[in-house]
């Protein structure tokens, strides 16, 4: 009988320790991120935001820049490219008007995409993580990368970054 009681008490204590650890991490999260090779303890995360930047350069000048929340970056790029088409069409005769699907930059371009995460946490009022992923792609004028292709590339980038964020850096469920 004493042996059973000792085993039962041992099991209750073991379950209490395991449950206590889970309860502790519920109230005191141990969220960690790496910035510049250093692990930072965030504690409880109150808010998190993804901010994406799209920069298109050509002939050593910036042709287009958009910085927006990741959920709006595709829309913002689309609006800017539509404005480029409208401006270009003002000087063209009616039969030669461009459309978003056929317009392209008539120079070699570099497309740079990056996204940073900003956290508001228990231990830091505002901390930005280095870019989750930065992508730079070069295109020649011969590629005739159309504006719709740029929008599609930004959409694929947005989807990929959102998935990476959700899998590895999303601390608010």
């Amino acid at each position: 009988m004493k042996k059973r009681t000792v085993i039962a008490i041992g099991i209750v204590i073991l379950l209490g320790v395991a449950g206590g650890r889970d309860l502790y991490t519920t109230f005191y999260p141990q969220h960690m991120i790496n910035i510049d090779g250093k692990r930072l303890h965030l504690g409880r995360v109150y808010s998190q935001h993804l901010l994406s930047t799209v920069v298109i350069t050509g002939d050593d000048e910036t042709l287009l820049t958009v910085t927006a929340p990741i959920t709006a970056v595709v829309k913002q790029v689309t609006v800017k490219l539509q404005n480029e088409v409208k401006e270009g069409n003002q000087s063209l005769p009616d039969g030669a008007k461009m459309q978003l699907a056929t317009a392209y930059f008539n120079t070699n371009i570099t497309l740079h995409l990056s996204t940073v995460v900003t956290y508001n946490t228990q231990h830091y009022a505002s901390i930005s993580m280095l870019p989750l992923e930065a992508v730079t792609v070069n295109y020649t004028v011969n590629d005739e990368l159309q504006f719709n292709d740029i929008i599609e590339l930004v959409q694929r980038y947005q989807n990929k970054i959102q998935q990476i964020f959700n899998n590895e850096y999303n601390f608010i469920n």
Side-chain angles (χ1 to χ4, degrees), residues 130-170:
L130 293 175
L132 282 179
E133 185 162 320
V135 176
T136 302
V137 186
N138 297 310
Y139 294 98
T140 67
V141 69
N142 296 335
D143 293 329
E144 292 186 9
L145 184 70
Q146 296 171 337
F147 286 6
N148 273 352
D149 297 330
I150 293 170
I151 294 166
E152 182 181 326
L153 286 168
V154 173
Q155 180 68 57
R156 285 191 305 202
Y157 173 80
Q158 174 194 356
N159 294 343
K160 179 181 176 185
I161 291 302
Q162 190 67 56
Q163 184 177 13
I164 289 170
F165 174 75
N166 289 342
N167 291 340
E168 299 177 32
Y169 302 102
N170 184 357

Side-chain angles (χ1 to χ4, degrees), residues 92-107:
L92 295 175
D94 284 340
K97 301 278 184 190
M98 296 181 293
Q99 297 178 1
L100 200 58
T102 58
Y104 62 93
F105 292 107
N106 60 353
T107 185

Side-chain angles (χ1 to χ4, degrees), residues 38-77:
K38 298 176 186 173
R39 284 182 66 88
L40 295 178
H41 179 260
L42 300 177
R44 187 173 294 143
V45 176
Y46 304 119
S47 67
Q48 54 195 14
H49 305 282
L50 292 167
L51 191 63
S52 294
T53 301
V54 177
V55 179
I56 300 174
T57 57
D59 294 331
D60 296 324
E61 70 176 277
T62 301
L63 304 173
L64 178 104
T65 301
V66 171
T67 299
I70 195 160
T71 56
V73 73
V74 173
K75 183 176 181 177
Q76 294 294 325
V77 168

